[in-house]
Amino acid sequence: QVQLVESGGGLVQPGGSLRLSCAASGTIFSINTMAWYRQAPGKERELVARINSGGDINYADSVKGRFTISRDNAKNAVYLQMNILQPEDTAVYYCNAYGRTRGWNAFDSWGQGTQVTVSS
């Protein structure tokens, strides 16, 4: 079983910055992809950014140039640096990871979510 724990959300004014962190723990053999999703009230969950084990990165068009995803493989962690935040970035942000456990079972795990609110 693999658990993800996020931290770093909060309230920030428009134009401000936040850094989200997510750490995976459990019987992990390898993590293929780590990603951040978000879900705003009344909207579907959407991909924000993802990074695979080779370092390939994808961003949603709405965050390109403002958000930066990175990962620390030694710590099984992924980060999301969010700059120039706008009210439309307000959402619950979820960490996602999938890979293999030590028992060679596939896992696809989600964190509990962290609230990001951008408001003056």
Side-chain angles (χ1 to χ4, degrees):
Q1 189 174 4
V2 176
Q3 300 84 33
L4 302 180
V5 177
E6 302 119 334
S7 62
L11 173 64
V12 64
Q13 291 186 341
S17 298
L18 282 175
R19 185 174 188 253
L20 305 183
S21 300
C22 171
S25 62
T27 56
I28 299 169
F29 176 77
S30 64
I31 300 178
N32 184 341
T33 298
M34 303 189 82
W36 289 97
Y37 288 75
R38 67 186 180 187
Q39 187 166 18
K43 294 187 177 181
E44 293 186 353
R45 189 173 298 188
E46 64 174 357
L47 174 69
V48 176
R50 64 183 167 205
I51 180 170
N52 67 17
S53 57
D56 297 321
I57 293 174
N58 298 103
Y59 293 103
D61 287 343
S62 59
V63 307
K64 283 181 181 177
R66 301 187 298 123
F67 291 11
T68 302
I69 189 171
S70 61
R71 67 188 279 179
D72 184 334
N73 292 327
K75 296 181 179 179
N76 289 328
V78 64
Y79 309 96
L80 186 68
Q81 177 65 43
M82 305 185 293
N83 298 327
I84 318 176
L85 283 160
Q86 300 300 318
E88 52 266 33
D89 295 316
T90 295
V92 177
Y93 284 70
Y94 296 91
C95 177
N96 171 259
Y98 65 85
R100 293 282 180 180
T101 67
R102 292 175 192 166
W104 206 242
N105 295 314
F107 70 86
D108 185 353
S109 298
W110 292 85
Q112 80 284 357
T114 184
Q115 177 70 46
V116 171
T117 302
V118 185
S119 175
S120 55

